[in-house]
Amino acid sequence: MGSLSEDGGRLFFRSEAFDVKKSNRRKLSSRTMEEPARSIPVHTECDVLVVGGGPAGTTAAIAAARLGADVVLLERYNHLGGLSTGGLVIWIDRMTDWDGQHVIRGIAEEMLSRLGPDKIAGPQRQDWGSRDPAKAAYWSLRSAAYHNTVTHSPTLDPEWLKAESLSMVVEAGVHTIFHAWGSGPIVEDGRVRGCIFESKEGRRAVLAKVTIDCTGDGDLYAQSGADFETQVDPRDIHGCMNTAWTFAGVDMKAFLHFRAELPEQFSQFMARGRAEMQSFEKPAVSWRDDIAVFMGPRLAGYSALKVEDLSEVEIRSHKLMIKHLAFYREHAPGFEGAYIMLSAPQLGVRHGRRLLALDRVTREMWDGRIAADEIGVSPSLAPKFSNVSVPYGAIVPSHVKGLLAPGRHLACDATSHSFMREIPQCWLTGHAAGVAAAIAADRGVEVADVPIVELQSGLKAQGAFLQKSRQAAIA
């Protein structure tokens, strides 16, 4: 997690981002081709269609199915979990607030509880919120203490998170279709009625009463006519991309000792790495002391919405992985016997689009106000800010019916996106979308007209945390 700083009255989330000169690109053709009209087979029909099986999509599918909805989940890869598994973002950012209160709960909490002690690592519950200097110093090196406060920010085994995510989806009765790329919404009279997907069987369609866009980049809502924005501040890391990787055969205790106890030598080590590689990253701990994860280097100046940019980031990231291995084996204590364990099968994208919706999360909402249509509570970026109440309107498109859009592409300003894009917040908003979609499909109402009290009651029944003033109203 990077550092926080004030700049012109606006809060920025800072970490090292590397500007790179793009490679020479081949000239793109200006020609177009006409595609003949054709009939598309309807693969199946359902109550709720979830497109994308990342953190938001997984919780959405489980939540809707547990309310009795007939749910279909389309996923382009062979696993669930998105960046939390396939992207090797195995560090789960804060699920507690700065007082140690567990605020991101529900299906997310249940999912993590299914991981055995050898598959997840982090502070014990009694230490969440601790400001004990020794504990904070220990966990700050292990990605679980910030601003001198211990938080519930575990690291986990991505393969077991894949397994438990799939188990929960199957147990809920969700029909999951892997290797299916949701390529375009089916829109009739301003209403999304399902999605076309591409697969080995060619182009097929799924029809649904309610569709949930969990693509992460708003691919469906962008094509359906919903309004959105794409800009990010170039000084923030949220527009950066990279492919993460893991090295095994390491001794992270030795490396962390080097980093904490020999700061001058560690500073020299980092400076040498930057001089040799320009784009240079330090490792983070994983769920095991013999495995290190590299979440960067974060490459700036690329767009998650351009295929040539995505391709170049993959190429650069894999080249950097090889260079890092050689450098760390030669110069880093604890990495003498390191070897490549895995490069992430999913590219690490932080930002593509942000929805323009009925409401949105903004910097002004960090003052502790409670949204009337609250669907969950997010920790704030720093102890000086209050918890952030997430409104249902932030996942409901303004001008498109039949569609919900939880996950990192929800409606928020660029500053609030710094935490609303994280995995726990995606679990939170996906959970709410699943409950809302099930209610809308069952009642035959628009997603914008889902009764908030019923939505909040459904979330509470599934273990989600809502702030006390709202909980009292729906108890």
Side-chain angles (χ1 to χ4, degrees):
M1 186 174 182
S3 61
L4 296 171
S5 64
E6 292 285 353
D7 191 341
R10 179 168 178 244
L11 185 73
F12 293 97
F13 180 90
R14 293 185 178 275
S15 186
E16 208 159 19
F18 301 96
D19 289 312
V20 294
K21 183 179 179 181
K22 291 185 180 181
S23 302
N24 293 328
R25 299 282 178 88
R26 66 183 297 135
K27 183 179 178 181
L28 299 181
S29 175
S30 61
R31 296 176 61 187
T32 61
M33 296 183 64
E34 298 298 322
E35 183 177 21
R38 56 173 166 165
S39 297
I40 299 175
V42 174
H43 189 80
T44 190
E45 301 179 37
C46 61
D47 295 327
V48 176
L49 170 63
V50 181
V51 183
T58 301
T59 54
I62 294 168
R66 285 181 175 179
L67 285 177
D70 177 19
V71 181
V72 172
L73 172 60
L74 296 179
E75 169 53 43
R76 61 173 167 160
Y77 294 108
N78 70 345
H79 59 268
L80 301 176
L83 291 184
S84 65
T85 56
L88 295 182
V89 185
I90 61 175
W91 162 65
I92 306 302
D93 199 1
R94 293 161 299 115
M95 299 181 71
T96 49
D97 65 15
W98 297 106
D99 293 324
Q101 180 178 212
H102 195 180
V103 293
I104 297 183
R105 305 191 66 175
I107 293 174
E109 179 183 14
E110 179 184 345
M111 193 174 294
L112 295 186
S113 73
R114 294 168 67 119
L115 301 175
D118 59 332
K119 302 173 183 68
I120 188 169
Q124 295 297 308
R125 180 179 291 269
Q126 62 266 22
D127 290 331
W128 298 348
S130 172
R131 291 177 172 82
D132 177 80
K135 291 180 179 179
Y138 177 86
W139 286 110
S140 67
L141 292 172
R142 293 161 177 80
S143 305
Y146 309 97
H147 301 285
N148 302 311
T149 304
V150 179
T151 67
H152 179 27
S153 303
T155 54
L156 47 81
D157 184 336
E159 291 303 317
W160 277 100
L161 184 57
K162 288 179 186 177
E164 295 300 343
S165 298
L166 181 58
S167 292
M168 291 177 69
V169 164
V170 171
E171 291 164 10
V174 175
H175 180 68
T176 303
I177 304 174
F178 289 113
H179 305 289
W181 183 301
S183 58
I186 301 168
V187 183
E188 297 176 358
D189 300 323
R191 174 186 297 280
V192 175
R193 300 189 181 276
C195 179
I196 295 170
F197 70 93
E198 301 284 353
S199 73
K200 286 291 186 179
E201 292 184 78
R203 187 176 298 182
R204 303 176 75 81
V206 177
L207 301 180
K209 296 176 182 177
V210 179
T211 301
I212 306 179
D213 182 350
C214 293
T215 61
D217 295 314
D219 294 337
L220 293 189
Y221 70 62
Q223 295 181 62
S224 69
D227 297 325
F228 59 90
E229 54 189 347
T230 59
Q231 77 278 7
V232 290
D233 193 291
R235 294 168 289 178
D236 288 351
I237 70 169
H238 308 294
C240 298
M241 294 188 289
N242 62 278
T243 299
W245 67 79
T246 53
F247 289 161
V250 305
D251 182 350
M252 280 301 290
K253 289 183 178 179
F255 182 81
L256 293 179
H257 175 83
F258 168 57
R259 178 179 167 182
E261 304 298 329
L262 301 170
E264 184 175 344
Q265 290 91 324
F266 179 73
S267 179
Q268 293 171 354
F269 165 79
M270 292 298 294
R272 182 171 183 176
R274 294 186 188 100
E276 290 192 15
M277 252 174 281
Q278 286 76 56
S279 303
F280 185 67
E281 182 77 3
K282 60 179 176 289
V285 298
S286 73
W287 72 103
R288 294 170 53 123
D289 285 333
D290 58 348
I291 297 173
V293 60
F294 287 76
M295 300 287 191
R298 302 168 180 87
L299 304 178
Y302 295 98
S303 170
L305 308 178
K306 295 183 180 295
V307 67
E308 292 288 348
D309 280 9
L310 297 174
S311 300
E312 185 168 323
V313 170
E314 290 280 18
I315 293 169
R316 286 185 181 272
S317 293
H318 283 85
K319 287 182 176 179
L320 285 166
M321 178 181 67
I322 300 299
K323 291 180 179 180
H324 275 67
L325 179 64
F327 185 88
Y328 270 81
R329 285 175 63 103
E330 184 173 355
H331 301 294
F335 279 77
E336 297 83 358
Y339 59 91
I340 296 171
M341 179 180 180
L342 179 67
S343 60
Q346 290 184 232
L347 182 65
V349 174
R350 294 168 176 83
H351 177 270
R353 300 180 181 92
R354 299 192 308 279
L355 180 68
L356 293 177
L358 297 182
D359 200 352
R360 66 177 188 155
V361 180
T362 66
R363 169 67 178 78
E364 290 72 27
M365 296 168 67
W366 303 5
D367 62 359
R369 69 187 69 179
I370 300 175
D373 59 343
E374 181 179 272
I375 55 173
V377 179
S378 170
S380 62
L381 278 179
K384 64 180 179 179
F385 302 110
S386 300
N387 289 337
V388 180
S389 177
V390 182
Y392 176 57
I395 64 172
V396 183
S398 300
H399 306 301
V400 176
K401 298 177 180 179
L403 184 70
L404 290 168
R408 72 167 184 255
H409 57 218
L410 87 169
C412 61
D413 61 25
T415 306
S416 300
H417 187 259
S418 61
F419 56 91
M420 288 307 301
R421 69 178 174 87
E422 296 286 359
I423 289 162
Q425 286 76 7
C426 291
W427 279 330
L428 180 161
T429 56
H431 187 176
V435 172
I439 294 171
D442 181 59
R443 302 285 188 275
V445 301
E446 302 292 349
V447 293
D449 297 329
V450 168
I452 297 303
V453 170
E454 187 174 355
L455 170 56
Q456 292 171 333
S457 296
L459 285 167
K460 184 181 177 183
Q462 293 189 359
F465 175 84
L466 298 176
Q467 295 185 85
K468 289 184 179 179
S469 62
R470 297 305 303 168
Q471 287 180 328
I474 62 176

